[in-house]
Amino acid sequence: MDLSKTISTLNNPVRRQILFWLKDRANFPPALPEHADLEGVCVAYIQEKAGLSQSTISSYMGLLKEAGLVISERHGQFTFYRRDEDAIRAFLNAAEKELLEP
Amino acid sequence: MDLSKTISTLNNPVRRQILFWLKDRANFPPALPEHADLEGVCVAYIQEKAGLSQSTISSYMGLLKEAGLVISERHGQFTFYRRDEDAIRAFLNAAEKELLEP
DNA sequence: TCCATATATCGAGATATCTCGATTTACAGC
DNA sequence: GCTGTAAATCGAGATATCTCGATATATGGA
């Protein structure tokens, strides 16, 4: 849990929005039939929703992954990203611990 | 509670450290006798502890104040800064609400 | 009023972040 | 192998942040 790294990753409205959208698969177009049983959302869908370039979203997802906030899984040509709920909770706990008294 | 603004204020190790130090007055030199009954720490003490320039610390304290994380009170030539515990808790609650499922 | 001290503000150079388009890599299917 | 699609990486210009020293403002005391 690198608090500094996580905070700087979250210090961007688009990355926070992506993390928010990833709470619910229904925020994205339905998965292809052959991906029906896979968790996560592929980069192209996230990109379309966010309205930024493919390269930007790819690197944003890389940052979110480095910070441990998402998990990625490759299936064929597709990379699927999903939230790491445990890591997100761990970040919030660490932030509380640092910020709150005593 | 402006989450974006608060996060970017916290996206700096020195500002987070200051907020941490302010948990305990004992992290700073003892107050002058004439300030014994006042809450908070003056800029010069914070500056000395942080080891950055006076102007930098003054503007950092301004940012922390703008973000609502600290409260300032002027007494004579001195400005005393102290944590706003309620606002800090409010930030953590807002962060949880945005980040956590559902 | 004049001076000293505490803090705030200003202007600027160095560094980091944002975001893009172009290119590269990885993979699937023919 | 060749082609097409998905994603990752690269290089760069625009913008923001960091941090400083210099200056301005506020206040208290001689």
Side-chain angles (χ1 to χ4, degrees):
Chain A
M1 221 307 28
D2 182 339
L3 195 63
S4 280
K5 188 176 205 163
T6 306
I7 291 176
S8 54
T9 301
L10 291 174
N11 188 31
N12 175 289
V14 177
R15 289 193 294 264
R16 281 205 308 283
Q17 183 71 70
I18 290 171
L19 215 50
F20 189 90
W21 284 329
L22 287 176
K23 288 179 184 182
D24 187 356
R25 187 53 252 239
N27 285 313
F28 301 93
L32 299 174
E34 61 269 37
H35 296 148
D37 56 342
L38 299 176
E39 276 187 280
V41 180
C42 65
V43 176
Y45 286 1
I46 299 170
Q47 187 212 331
E48 187 188 356
K49 184 102 179 168
L52 295 183
S53 74
Q54 185 270 323
S55 61
T56 297
I57 297 303
S58 176
S59 79
Y60 279 11
M61 297 318 294
L63 289 171
L64 286 164
K65 183 182 152 88
E66 261 194 86
L69 296 165
V70 302
I71 295 167
S72 77
E73 218 164 309
R74 183 118 202 193
H75 289 273
Q77 335 167 238
F78 297 83
T79 306
F80 294 86
Y81 287 97
R82 63 177 193 276
R83 289 160 53 95
D84 185 338
E85 299 294 344
D86 290 346
I88 293 171
R89 256 188 299 273
F91 159 71
L92 286 167
N93 288 340
E96 263 195 31
K97 203 173 160 78
E98 172 169 322
L99 289 177
L100 242 43
E101 288 220 270
Chain B
M1 215 326 7
D2 182 338
L3 195 62
S4 279
K5 187 176 207 164
T6 306
I7 291 176
S8 55
T9 301
L10 292 173
N11 187 32
N12 176 288
V14 178
R15 287 191 295 261
R16 282 206 306 284
Q17 182 72 70
I18 290 171
L19 216 49
F20 189 89
W21 285 328
L22 286 176
K23 288 178 184 182
D24 188 356
R25 189 48 255 238
N27 284 312
F28 301 93
L32 299 173
E34 62 268 37
H35 297 146
D37 56 340
L38 298 177
E39 275 187 281
V41 179
C42 66
V43 175
Y45 285 2
I46 300 170
Q47 188 211 330
E48 187 187 356
K49 184 103 180 166
L52 294 182
S53 74
Q54 185 269 322
S55 61
T56 297
I57 297 303
S58 176
S59 80
Y60 279 10
M61 297 318 294
L63 289 171
L64 286 165
K65 184 181 152 84
E66 261 195 87
L69 296 165
V70 301
I71 296 167
S72 77
E73 217 165 308
R74 184 119 203 192
H75 288 274
Q77 334 167 240
F78 296 82
T79 306
F80 293 86
Y81 286 97
R82 63 179 193 274
R83 289 161 52 96
D84 186 338
E85 300 294 345
D86 290 347
I88 293 171
R89 257 190 296 274
F91 160 71
L92 286 167
N93 288 340
E96 264 196 32
K97 203 175 161 74
E98 172 169 321
L99 288 177
L100 243 42
E101 292 219 85

